Amino acid sequence: MESASRQIAAFTVVLSVLGMMLAVQYRDVTLGGAALFSTMPDISGAVSRLDAVDAENHRLLEQTRVTEQKINKLESQMIQEGGASSQALLLMRSAALLNGSTNVHGPGVTLTIRDGHLTGFAYEQFLTHDWDLRSVVNELFLAGADAVSINQVRITMQTGIFCIGPLIRVGSAKLGPPFVIRAIGNKTLLTDALNLPGGVLDALRAANRGLQVSKPVAHSDVQILAAGGVG
Amino acid sequence: MRRTLPLVGLLVGIALGLAIPIHLSLQYASYLSVAILAAVDTVFGGIKSSLLRQFDARVFLTGFFFNAVLSAALAFVGSYLGLDLALAAVVAFGVRIFNNLAAIRHQILGKTKIASPN
């Protein structure tokens, strides 16, 4: 009798735990996700693997950043020491400036463009368009800017600026307003170029657009990241 | 009356599982399904041994929890080795469940209808 009651107790414990496991699994399966994973168990590890790859990626990016800093330091040393290699390095640095492969900081200007408000008569025009940003960027480069970025996305020779729906794709980044344009170069020249009467900013401020375009602000130190955010 | 207690336990467990909002992260759902398979196997094993009058509560209880945890752990380790050990558990426990079921059927049939040929 003792054995029979022990048996019943054991079965009761086991079956109640099993019932609970079944219920939890049933609910997760009916929710949708778990069924997918139970038929494709390979995917179950994919999430953790993705996390691991992501972490490794971050580690490598950090390593790249540190190495590039070291290279920069050594290059600066070589340039100070002078000689033929310093000339080559200076050339290389100006090339790096063009292709956007290094972080840049220095005097420059910033400018913010925000979408306007729907006023009823200019319902298409109150959005910032790709050509608006392109005209500002082109104006800045024409005025001799060394580096330009929109919302910290570096504009290089190969960066396209296109509208995608309500957003603007700059390179591979999808940006929304406000668009903060940073430019490094002669700040007086850049400010004057932007403030040219009848120039790009005046066109953007036209009454039928309703965009909110800030005045270009000159700064003694503007930071612009390398293309891809590395460096 | 007391014989229905395990069934009541099962129902209570299901009700509890549905009532308490426990959610396993998607990546662990497959481990629970392997653990459930191990648990079901243990239950059928228990029924078989109780019919054969060889039931041992300690073996049954430890087997239940140990098998469930171990099979889930194996599947977990397998996912890190690029080896689908969950599949091994499904096959192994699947075969055992059917063996146990067959033994239970034979036992019940043997007792109620056919006299043992041996």
Side-chain angles (χ1 to χ4, degrees):
Chain A
M1 197 58 203
E2 173 60 29
S3 154
S5 57
R6 271 174 67 111
Q7 191 171 330
I8 286 170
F11 267 107
T12 309
V13 169
V14 161
L15 282 176
S16 54
V17 174
L18 178 64
M20 207 159 151
M21 286 162 79
L22 285 171
V24 169
Q25 182 74 353
Y26 168 77
R27 204 178 33 203
D28 281 351
V29 167
T30 48
L31 277 177
L36 177 76
F37 278 77
S38 59
T39 52
M40 293 195 284
D42 193 33
I43 296 174
S44 65
V47 176
S48 53
R49 280 202 293 278
L50 185 67
D51 277 350
V53 170
D54 236 22
E56 175 71 4
N57 226 352
H58 273 287
R59 197 185 61 74
L60 289 173
L61 274 177
E62 184 59 22
Q63 203 177 325
T64 313
R65 204 181 57 79
V66 171
T67 313
E68 285 196 345
Q69 271 179 354
K70 272 186 203 161
I71 292 173
N72 253 329
K73 220 179 200 174
L74 288 172
E75 281 179 359
S76 300
Q77 253 178 1
M78 282 178 79
I79 289 171
Q80 275 177 4
E81 282 165 12
S85 58
S86 76
Q87 289 304 313
L89 278 174
L90 280 173
L91 264 174
M92 228 172 75
R93 285 208 162 169
S94 53
L97 214 59
L98 269 180
N99 70 20
S101 59
T102 54
N103 286 350
V104 189
H105 72 100
V109 294
T110 61
L111 168 80
T112 308
I113 301 175
R114 289 170 208 279
D115 285 352
H117 298 294
L118 186 62
T119 52
F121 71 94
Y123 60 90
E124 266 178 22
Q125 298 297 323
F126 73 100
L127 287 178
T128 313
H129 285 290
D130 48 2
W131 62 79
D132 300 327
L133 295 185
R134 268 203 299 266
S135 63
V136 175
V137 167
N138 285 340
E139 186 66 38
L140 285 167
F141 275 125
L142 281 174
D146 289 320
V148 177
S149 78
I150 302 175
N151 292 4
Q152 279 303 7
V153 177
R154 180 76 168 267
I155 311 293
T156 69
M157 297 299 128
Q158 284 139 359
T159 310
I161 302 176
F162 298 101
C163 276
I164 42 166
L167 300 178
I168 296 183
R169 203 190 73 180
V170 178
S172 57
K174 299 171 184 72
L175 306 181
F179 300 98
V180 181
I181 300 174
R182 292 178 174 82
I184 290 174
N186 184 329
K187 52 186 178 188
T188 326
L189 255 175
L190 295 179
T191 315
D192 287 350
L194 290 173
N195 282 336
L196 207 68
V200 280
L201 293 194
D202 273 357
L204 295 183
R205 290 191 185 113
N208 68 338
R209 293 302 308 275
L211 296 179
Q212 300 174 30
V213 184
S214 79
K215 279 192 174 128
V217 185
H219 295 277
S220 54
D221 194 41
V222 176
Q223 301 270 352
I224 291 183
L225 297 179
V230 189
Chain B
M1 191 62 199
R2 273 173 49 192
R3 286 184 157 271
T4 57
L5 221 62
L7 200 67
V8 173
L10 180 69
L11 293 178
V12 167
I14 290 175
L16 267 178
L18 288 176
I20 302 170
I22 309 170
H23 279 293
L24 274 183
S25 145
L26 280 184
Q27 51 177 327
Y28 299 125
S30 66
Y31 307 139
L32 181 60
S33 51
V34 173
I36 285 176
L37 205 64
V40 169
D41 167 58
T42 315
V43 168
F44 282 126
I47 294 172
K48 183 186 89 176
S49 59
S50 102
L51 285 174
L52 289 171
R53 307 214 173 279
Q54 291 167 346
F55 185 83
D56 184 335
R58 269 191 308 179
V59 172
F60 181 59
L61 280 171
T62 52
F64 176 78
F65 291 107
F66 195 76
N67 278 355
V69 171
L70 195 73
S71 58
L74 259 179
F76 178 72
V77 169
S79 75
Y80 277 92
L81 297 176
L83 237 168
D84 207 350
L85 286 179
L87 205 64
V90 168
V91 173
F93 286 121
V95 169
R96 280 182 50 151
I97 285 173
F98 281 109
N99 279 343
N100 283 337
L101 275 176
I104 291 168
R105 190 167 44 84
H106 280 241
Q107 198 63 26
I108 292 172
L109 284 179
K111 269 195 173 170
T112 54
K113 284 188 180 166
I114 317 158
S116 175
N118 303 326

